[in-house]
């Protein structure tokens, strides 16, 4: 099998997870990861993955630290058919011209604007429009969840409009010592919050409004949705529509999954790497239907949910798989994704 060579620029929260996921794919070869760090974040993989220096200063610093970089970012780009740029917000956009000049395809993350690539990606929604493109942008964690859940209801012909409230984690767990929100909640300064318009870059026909706030916690996001349907429906119909969609898994309060932290503990007990949850976790026993209205809540693991989308974006841009179903089947199988976290049912 001919494999696509993939380089990852930025070995942080997303980059390290993308790198590990690439290693699991039968049709991809990870040729290296680039970063500017010289501390534990990159030292922990120096003997496991080929590392490259994102800048000349970083190359010198890595050498002094004994990390033995294989080369520079430009050399990583030369080895790659496609680059996954997971560098910090706004840094990635500055790398776009470098990738274009080198003639390499590139996948960006949701911290960049839609205008950076002119295309925003969620596999189940618009894989076909990404086929063969030079660049795309995998939307943010919250936007990915919105497209998955509302897209499932839309595909079933049930979605008319949606209004959502998002309670966002204050900061990533690994850097919570640097500061964060304690004993308060901070509203996002505009309504709609940015996630709604961002979802519309993927599914332009969605009628939705989002309101968001940062809460005093560091583990995952929590969404609450009021959804008007196209017609009165039963709860079973809504559950069936969600169950039929990819990358949505059910959890239940009746199983003792009472809060965000309990789901994270479950991921660890299931043996997930880093305790990751790639699926949207919908509380099944809280899905409530009243005539043509649905009320539901779900959990978004911000550090992991975009990883399968990024893998599928690689296949779309390089035409490794002809359609979303083919690509997602490989990705979901290699990652071991589920439809229900406490049953044997797999995708």
């Amino acid at each position: 099998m001919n494999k696509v060579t993939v380089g990852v620029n930025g070995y942080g929260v997303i980059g390290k997870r993308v790198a590990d996921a690439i290693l699991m794919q039968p049709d991809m070869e990870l040729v290296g990861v680039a970063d500017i760090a010289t501390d534990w974040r990159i030292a922990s993989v120096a003997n496991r993955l080929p590392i490259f220096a994102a800048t000349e200063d970083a190359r010198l610093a890595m050498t002094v630290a004994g990390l033995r970089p294989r080369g520079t970012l430009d050399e990583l780009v030369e080895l790659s058919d496609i680059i996954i740029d997971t560098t910090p917000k706004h840094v990635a956009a500055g790398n776009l011209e470098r990738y274009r000049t080198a003639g390499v395809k590139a996948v960006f993350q949701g911290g960049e604007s839609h205008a950076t690539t002119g295309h925003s990606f969620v596999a189940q929604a618009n894989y076909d429009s990404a086929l063969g493109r030079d660049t795309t942008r995998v939307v943010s964690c919250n936007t990915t969840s919105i497209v998955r859940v509302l897209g499932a209801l839309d595909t079933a012909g049930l979605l008319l409009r949606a209004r959502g409230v998002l309670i966002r984690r204050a900061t990533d767990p690994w850097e919570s010592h640097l500061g964060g929100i304690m004993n308060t909640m901070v509203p996002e300064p505009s309504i709609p919050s940015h996630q709604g318009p961002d979802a519309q870059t993927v599914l332009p026909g969605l009628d939705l409004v989002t309101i968001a706030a940062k809460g005093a916690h560091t583990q995952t996001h929590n969404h609450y949705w009021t959804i008007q349907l196209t017609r009165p429906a039963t709860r079973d119909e809504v559950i069936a529509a969600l169950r039929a969609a990819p990358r949505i898994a059910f959890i239940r309060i009746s199983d003792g999954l009472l809060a965000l932290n309990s789901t994270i503990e479950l991921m660890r007990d299931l043996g997930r790497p880093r305790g990751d949850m790639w699926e949207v976790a919908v509380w099944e026993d809280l899905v409530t239907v009243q005539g043509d209205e649905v009320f539901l809540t779900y959990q978004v693991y911000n550090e992991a949910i975009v990883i399968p989308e990024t893998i599928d974006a690689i296949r779309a841009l390089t035409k490794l798989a002809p359609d979303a179903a083919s690509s997602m089947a490989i990705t979901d199988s290699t990652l071991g994704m589920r439809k229900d976290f406490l049953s044997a049912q797999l995708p």
Side-chain angles (χ1 to χ4, degrees):
M1 174 187 293
N2 291 329
K3 294 187 177 184
V4 165
T5 55
V6 187
V8 177
N9 184 17
Y11 194 76
V13 170
I14 300 298
K16 63 186 178 182
R17 289 171 166 85
V18 169
D20 284 352
I22 291 167
L23 291 172
M24 301 169 70
Q25 306 309 309
D27 48 2
M28 300 177 193
E29 177 186 354
L30 179 69
V31 292
V33 300
D35 208 287
I36 61 172
T38 60
D39 60 10
W40 64 271
R41 290 168 293 177
I42 198 74
S44 64
V45 295
N47 294 322
R48 184 168 70 87
L49 300 177
I51 62 171
F52 291 74
T55 65
E56 181 60 25
D57 286 346
R59 186 186 69 79
L60 294 173
M62 285 182 176
T63 302
V64 169
L67 294 176
R68 299 178 184 176
R70 303 285 183 92
T72 63
L73 175 58
D74 287 334
E75 290 172 292
L76 176 61
V77 170
E78 288 179 9
L79 295 171
S80 305
D81 295 317
I82 185 167
I83 289 286
I84 313 305
D85 195 308
T86 61
T87 55
K89 187 175 181 179
H90 304 314
V91 174
N95 292 326
L96 177 59
E97 195 55 42
R98 167 185 255 153
Y99 304 144
R100 283 178 172 165
T101 300
V104 66
K105 295 177 181 289
V107 176
F108 295 88
Q109 298 297 308
E112 306 308 313
S113 70
H114 175 73
T116 300
T117 63
H119 188 272
S120 296
F121 183 88
V122 176
Q124 75 190 65
N126 64 346
Y127 184 97
D128 290 350
S129 65
L131 279 169
R133 286 183 57 91
D134 290 332
T135 61
T136 191
R137 161 187 172 263
V138 173
V139 296
S140 73
C141 50
N142 283 314
T143 304
T144 297
S145 75
I146 292 169
V147 173
R148 287 186 192 174
V149 173
L150 299 188
L153 297 176
D154 192 43
T155 297
L158 291 173
L159 180 66
L160 182 61
R161 64 177 60 92
R163 305 294 182 257
V165 175
L166 290 61
I167 309 301
R168 303 175 56 203
R169 60 96 181 91
T171 187
D172 282 327
W174 81 272
E175 58 183 2
S176 58
H177 65 289
L178 300 177
I181 296 167
M182 293 297 294
N183 198 34
T184 190
M185 186 175 289
V186 181
E188 208 164 288
S190 63
I191 298 176
S193 60
H194 71 273
Q195 294 88 1
D198 199 25
Q200 289 164 336
T201 66
V202 180
L203 292 174
L206 290 183
D207 182 346
L208 77 159
V209 176
T210 52
I211 303 171
K214 291 181 181 179
H217 66 282
T218 63
Q219 288 188 320
T220 77
H221 306 306
N222 195 192
H223 288 216
Y224 297 84
W225 286 91
T226 298
I227 299 168
Q228 186 172 359
L229 304 176
T230 54
R231 58 175 175 80
T234 66
R235 183 176 183 277
D236 287 345
E237 286 181 282
V238 172
I239 294 292
L242 296 174
R243 194 175 292 279
R247 299 174 179 172
I248 295 173
F250 287 107
I251 57 177
R252 287 167 291 274
I253 287 177
S254 60
D255 288 326
L257 296 169
L258 305 176
L260 304 181
N261 59 297
S262 55
T263 308
I264 297 304
E265 189 68 14
L266 173 61
M267 295 304 106
R268 294 170 179 149
D269 288 346
L270 291 175
R272 289 290 181 90
R274 301 185 179 91
D276 284 350
M277 182 171 70
W278 307 290
E279 306 87 342
V280 178
V282 176
W283 269 281
E284 183 179 16
D285 39 9
L286 289 180
V287 175
T288 300
V289 180
Q290 296 179 353
D292 63 353
E293 282 190 305
V294 176
F295 308 91
L296 58 81
T297 181
Y298 61 75
Q299 182 173 355
V300 180
Y301 196 108
N302 52 289
E303 297 172 86
I305 187 175
V306 300
I307 304 308
E309 309 300 329
T310 303
I311 296 300
D312 292 326
I314 295 171
R315 290 201 182 92
L317 267 56
T318 60
K319 295 185 176 180
L320 276 177
D323 53 53
S326 301
S327 180
M328 295 174 77
I330 300 170
T331 304
D332 294 0
S333 176
T334 55
L335 293 181
M337 295 176 73
R338 292 176 174 266
K339 291 284 191 181
D340 190 308
F341 289 124
L342 290 174
S343 80
Q345 184 180 9
L346 297 174

